[in-house]
Amino acid sequence: VATAAWCSRVMSNETFDLALNFGVCGSFDRRLEPGRVVHVVSDRLAELGAEDGEAFLSIDALQLPAEHEFMNANPPPIDALSRLPAVSAITVNTVHGSDRSIAAVVARCAPQVESMEGAAFMFACQIHGLPFAQVRSVSNIVERRNRRGWKIMEAIASLNDAAIAILEGA
């Protein structure tokens, strides 16, 4: 929510040619190991809906009008960006850390990665008609909380290298 508000505020007051969102993420796809940098081309607000007992009702199932899925159909033509694996993501308020919640969100959304702000950034860019890219580096596999498996420093180092290459090619 804060990302959407701040991005929209800045984008309303300034003119930009391009918006880039660099950050870390957790991976549901074990082929995307910590340190791997990815280009998020689709993202959705995974928790937008309602609970009905143990079932989750999506915003679509509730038949409520709300933006919750975002695609980047025309990413910037930057060579370093195009070389990154394109992935689908979910944006969450609470990162997943239990077997039950992980299984449920994978069954419902089939995400490859998750972050806490990606969809908000994408939505703000789309509202303002601004070309954009969301680039993430995997810091951990999404599983029961396992801090020993986190590779945050490696993820940030990889992300830094990718960011420099993308910025030099922009």
Side-chain angles (χ1 to χ4, degrees):
V1 173
T3 299
W6 278 106
C7 285
S8 198
R9 179 180 180 190
V10 168
M11 291 172 191
S12 292
N13 294 325
E14 302 280 338
T15 301
F16 299 96
D17 296 325
L18 173 67
L20 299 169
N21 179 249
F22 295 104
V24 296
C25 65
S27 177
F28 293 95
D29 183 342
R30 291 189 176 272
R31 294 172 297 181
L32 300 174
E33 297 176 350
R36 184 78 183 265
V37 179
V38 298
H39 176 203
V40 176
V41 296
S42 69
D43 206 331
R44 71 188 293 179
L45 298 169
E47 299 159 329
L48 192 58
E51 291 180 344
D52 183 9
E54 294 300 312
F56 177 83
L57 302 175
S58 71
I59 202 75
D60 293 329
L62 293 168
Q63 298 180 332
L64 295 174
E67 297 288 337
H68 66 286
E69 294 185 48
F70 310 97
M71 300 287 297
N72 191 354
N74 296 307
I78 300 170
D79 189 51
L81 182 63
S82 67
R83 287 194 305 262
L84 298 175
V87 301
S88 64
I90 58 173
T91 294
V92 297
N93 289 308
T94 303
V95 294
H96 290 86
S98 78
D99 293 337
R100 182 187 58 76
S101 69
I102 293 166
V105 78
V106 167
R108 190 171 72 248
C109 302
Q112 290 172 279
V113 299
E114 77 177 358
S115 78
M116 296 182 82
E117 73 284 338
F121 164 79
M122 291 175 81
F123 192 26
C125 291
Q126 288 177 344
I127 287 170
H128 293 279
L130 183 59
F132 67 91
Q134 180 186 165
V135 178
R136 302 258 167 224
S137 184
V138 175
S139 63
N140 61 285
I141 299 298
V142 177
E143 59 188 352
R144 184 175 175 96
R145 195 67 46 229
N146 173 16
R147 288 183 177 231
R148 283 176 273 127
W150 293 0
K151 306 286 186 206
I152 293 175
M153 294 310 293
E154 294 90 334
I156 291 171
S158 297
L159 183 63
N160 185 58
D161 292 344
I164 290 169
I166 290 167
L167 290 169
E168 287 176 347

